[in-house]
């Protein structure tokens, strides 16, 4: 049981979470563009990808439209964490040719292609480029900027994993 911050009366944990989610949705809808969260650290192995995945999934489960962008060129662990390493999905490398929307992998498609035992995901994904196209020559920062510009109005929250 939690205290309702708006009324001071005790409420259940489920009702508290639902009220917080509704408040967040209303606030985000008022801004029209997605809120953005970026995870970064000065070194690898700090838990950035895990934090990004947990944040995206938690927000998606709460009913927000969420996009997770894997901006970790050359060291992407999102595919591995989601168990979709062998799948041929579009990536940020495809944004200049296909457009940002066509380069996003939907939660439905990810859920169809990954092991069912891993659970259902509640967010869309823009993957980092394949390792052989990971450098700035093949995938410039402008591809990420174009994706952010084109997709901000389609999502409530964009989580960027660096």
């Amino acid at each position: 049981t939690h205290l309702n911050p708006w009324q001071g009366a005790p409420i259940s944990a489920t009702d508290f979470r639902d009220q917080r989610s509704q408040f967040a949705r209303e606030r985000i809808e008022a801004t029209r563009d997605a809120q953005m969260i970026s995870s970064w650290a000065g070194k690898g192995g700090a838990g950035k990808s895990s934090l990004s995945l947990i944040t995206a999934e938690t927000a998606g489960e709460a009913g927000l439209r969420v996009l997770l962008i894997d901006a970790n060129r050359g060291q992407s662990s999102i595919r591995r964490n989601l168990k979709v390493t062998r799948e041929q999905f579009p990536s940020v490398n495809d944004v200049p040719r296909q457009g940002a929307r066509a380069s996003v992998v939907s939660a439905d498609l990810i859920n169809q292609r990954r092991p069912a035992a891993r659970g259902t995901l509640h967010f869309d994904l823009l993957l980092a480029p394949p390792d052989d196209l990971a450098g700035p020559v093949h995938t410039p920062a402008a591809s990420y900027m174009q994706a952010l510009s084109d997709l901000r109005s389609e999502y409530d929250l964009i989580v960027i994993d660096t």
Side-chain angles (χ1 to χ4, degrees):
T1 304
H2 298 275
L3 284 180
N4 183 335
W6 295 277
Q7 299 169 352
I11 61 172
S12 71
T14 301
D15 288 342
F16 181 72
R17 187 181 66 235
D18 290 346
Q19 284 184 6
R20 280 191 352 201
S21 296
Q22 180 63 30
F23 177 74
R25 277 192 297 275
E26 289 170 1
R27 185 165 179 213
I28 289 170
E29 286 172 9
T31 64
R32 291 192 206 144
D33 279 343
Q35 299 295 307
M36 288 191 269
I37 297 174
S38 179
S39 65
W40 61 274
K43 64 181 209 76
K48 298 178 298 290
S49 295
S50 296
L51 177 63
S52 295
L53 285 164
I54 291 167
T55 301
E57 181 59 18
T58 301
E61 280 183 327
L64 297 178
R65 296 168 302 156
V66 180
L67 174 65
L68 172 59
I69 297 179
D70 186 353
N72 196 349
R73 293 187 300 204
Q75 298 177 352
S76 170
S77 61
I78 297 294
R79 283 180 191 263
R80 187 173 53 256
N81 288 339
L82 295 179
K83 306 296 185 212
V84 293
T85 54
R86 299 181 192 276
E87 296 297 331
Q88 295 297 319
F89 288 132
S91 73
V92 70
N93 180 262
D94 299 309
V95 168
R97 288 185 310 281
Q98 295 181 180
R101 183 76 232 139
S103 301
V104 170
V105 184
S106 71
D108 290 338
L109 183 57
I110 297 168
N111 289 324
Q112 290 172 12
R113 303 255 182 103
R114 66 187 234 125
R118 296 287 177 188
T120 302
L121 295 178
H122 298 89
F123 58 88
D124 293 346
L125 181 62
L126 180 59
L127 288 164
D131 290 342
D132 58 328
L133 300 173
V137 170
H138 297 291
T139 309
S143 296
Y144 287 99
M145 295 306 293
Q146 180 183 344
L148 284 170
S149 175
D150 293 351
L151 297 169
R152 280 190 79 171
S153 63
E154 294 187 34
Y155 291 93
D156 299 319
L157 177 66
I158 297 177
V159 179
I160 305 168
D161 179 44
T162 61

